[in-house]
Amino acid sequence: MTDTASNRWRPLLDGADAERAWTAIRALAEALRPPPEGLDPEADPGLSDGSAGLALFYAYLGAATGEEVWMEQAQTLIEHSIDGLANKPLPAALHGGFTGIGWTIEHLQGMLFEEEDEDDPIGESLLERLQFPAARGDYDLITGLAGYGFYALEALPRPAARRSLQRVTERLAEIGEPAGNGFSWFTPPELIAAWQRADAPNGNFNLGVAHGVPAIVSLLGECAGAGVLSAEGRKMLDGAVAWLLGQKQHGEVWCFASAVTGGVAPAPSRMAWCYGDPGIAAALMTAARHAGQPEWEAEALDIARRAAKRPSEHSGFVDPGICHGSAGLAHLFNRMYQATGDETLAEAARFWYRHTLDLQKPGEGIAGFLFWAPEVPFKPKWEPIPGFLAGAVGVALALLAAVTPQEPKWDRTLAVSVPLGEAAEL
């Protein structure tokens, strides 16, 4: 999984900060460990909220520490996920379905088990699904086409993966549309969360990585870098970037709204992975590095630097998690710092890592961490959420990435795995 000869990732935290992080990581590892009798066979086997996400954490922890107990734990958890694939119907979603489990299995090959042959039952199942036209709006990273594409990228060079990527790009072209000065994807109102629909009764163009256009930009950029993007796909990528940058505002500490909605003036989004400038910057930088576009990277770095200067009290962050919290911000700034060496981003990452650790309250939640869980109607409450995307597993993985030299390539599932090679010259 990790090419140590070319690995350029370096621990960001040191001294007392690193000690605090390691204390939290080990507390989370103990708190998240399944009971001795094992997981319930009916427990979630998926990436975002289930055993596949837990397996990722324990595998990375085992690799970082050399402690076999964590590798054994990861093996048990991924076997639970594999059993879930075989024994229960699952959606195709990357975050919550069979492609997410498949991504984790592919990712952990060479770490937990030997490389397999070209058989790819998950890829074949995905190909069957992709035979049929996609619905307008069915393009996002969490449950839609972009997520399917990131599974297929991880599964390359398997033949089914290559064919899947071809079909994903075809489906994206079918449901996309010319917009502004480029090409984009519209989200109809029925696919917008009920609590957001009041602001967009007729739908919108989503600017978040989790549910919007930036993840497609990252995906198509990776496809270009992997040599699996057609000439038509490359035109679509160029159009998507042109459209995205056409939505960029020029505030001192912000650049993007959460969405483009007819009749609604742009307003600053919160700072997060799911929505906001840091996630957009990392997704665009990922595409830029893979597609060899230094102009895009310059734009991404400008967006990231502005976000790094935004006062925390105006950031809108919610909790310690990856999705909409401080660990997500810390990891994004760390990932972009590792790729660029920009000290402004390093300082922002350290700030948000410290903030994450400050949120730990011994005796509460999972190893001291609680998470903001919105309900329907919108009545949030604090919960001990264990999962990867919105809970304790994500916090643990982000902290681990700050104190070890192991590149956290698990963030490919977030569309923000910026390559660490040298940036192209303008």
Side-chain angles (χ1 to χ4, degrees), residues 9-25:
W9 193 271
R10 297 292 181 266
L12 178 74
L13 300 181
D14 56 18
D17 288 334
E19 290 178 13
R20 287 182 72 199
W22 270 114
T23 298
I25 290 163

Side-chain angles (χ1 to χ4, degrees), residues 8 40 158 320 354:
R8 299 177 56 207
D40 184 335
R158 299 180 192 279
R354 290 167 186 148

Side-chain angles (χ1 to χ4, degrees), residues 281-297:
L284 179 59
M285 193 177 291
T286 300
R289 285 281 173 99
H290 281 285
Q293 291 290 324
E295 298 88 353
W296 299 354
E297 181 166 344

Side-chain angles (χ1 to χ4, degrees), residues 1 4 11 14-15 20 23 27 39 45 52 61 66 72 136 158 219 247 267 277 320 328 331 361 388 390 422-423:
M1 187 190 70
T4 54
D14 56 18
R20 287 182 72 199
T23 298
L39 286 175
L61 180 60
E72 292 171 356
R136 190 185 192 203
R158 299 180 192 279
L219 170 69
Q247 313 316 310
D277 293 350
H331 183 72
K361 299 177 181 178
F388 164 55
E422 294 295 331

Side-chain angles (χ1 to χ4, degrees), residues 97-347:
F98 68 77
T99 57
I101 297 172
W103 186 95
T104 308
I105 294 168
E106 292 288 341
H107 191 65
L108 295 180
Q109 286 193 30
M111 178 181 272
L112 290 183
F113 31 75
E114 297 298 322
E115 297 280 347
E116 296 181 355
D117 58 27
E118 289 191 347
D119 288 344
D120 184 7
I122 292 173
E124 295 294 342
S125 295
L126 184 59
L127 274 172
E128 289 182 19
R129 181 181 181 86
L130 290 168
Q131 290 182 73
F132 305 103
R136 190 185 192 203
D138 184 20
Y139 64 82
D140 80 347
L141 179 70
I142 301 297
T143 63
L145 290 167
Y148 306 161
F150 278 101
Y151 162 74
L153 281 167
E154 194 71 19
L156 285 174
R158 299 180 192 279
R162 184 175 290 271
R163 295 197 303 272
S164 292
L165 285 168
Q166 179 182 358
R167 288 188 183 172
V168 164
T169 55
E170 289 170 354
R171 297 294 172 257
L172 284 170
E174 291 166 1
I175 64 172
E177 58 195 77
N181 62 338
F183 196 81
S184 192
W185 289 264
F186 185 78
T187 303
E190 62 270 18
L191 295 182
I192 296 174
W195 60 273
Q196 295 176 312
R197 206 172 299 152
D199 294 328
N202 299 314
N204 61 25
F205 292 90
N206 193 299
L207 288 171
V209 177
H211 300 292
V213 176
I216 299 177
V217 167
S218 177
L219 170 69
L220 295 177
E222 282 219 37
C223 288
V228 293
L229 193 64
S230 66
E232 293 77 11
R234 181 56 196 245
K235 289 179 182 177
M236 185 163 57
L237 168 60
D238 292 343
V241 173
W243 179 86
L244 179 64
L245 291 176
Q247 313 316 310
K248 183 183 176 185
Q249 309 300 306
H250 295 284
E252 185 176 349
V253 294
W254 75 281
C255 295
F256 289 93
S258 296
V260 178
T261 306
V264 178
S269 175
R270 69 188 180 208
M271 289 226 304
W273 166 76
C274 54
Y275 287 96
D277 293 350
I280 293 171
L284 179 59
M285 193 177 291
T286 300
R289 285 281 173 99
H290 281 285
Q293 291 290 324
E295 298 88 353
W296 299 354
E297 181 166 344
E299 290 280 5
L301 188 54
D302 177 62
I303 296 162
R305 285 171 172 162
R306 289 174 193 250
K309 297 173 184 176
R310 188 165 170 177
S312 60
E313 61 269 25
H314 300 304
S315 66
F317 97 96
V318 179
D319 66 12
I322 284 278
C323 181
H324 40 254
S326 55
L329 289 172
H331 183 72
L332 290 168
F333 285 121
N334 189 20
R335 168 56 83 172
M336 291 186 285
Y337 160 67
Q338 299 280 350
T340 65
D342 189 280
E343 283 297 327
T344 299
L345 306 184
E347 282 306 307

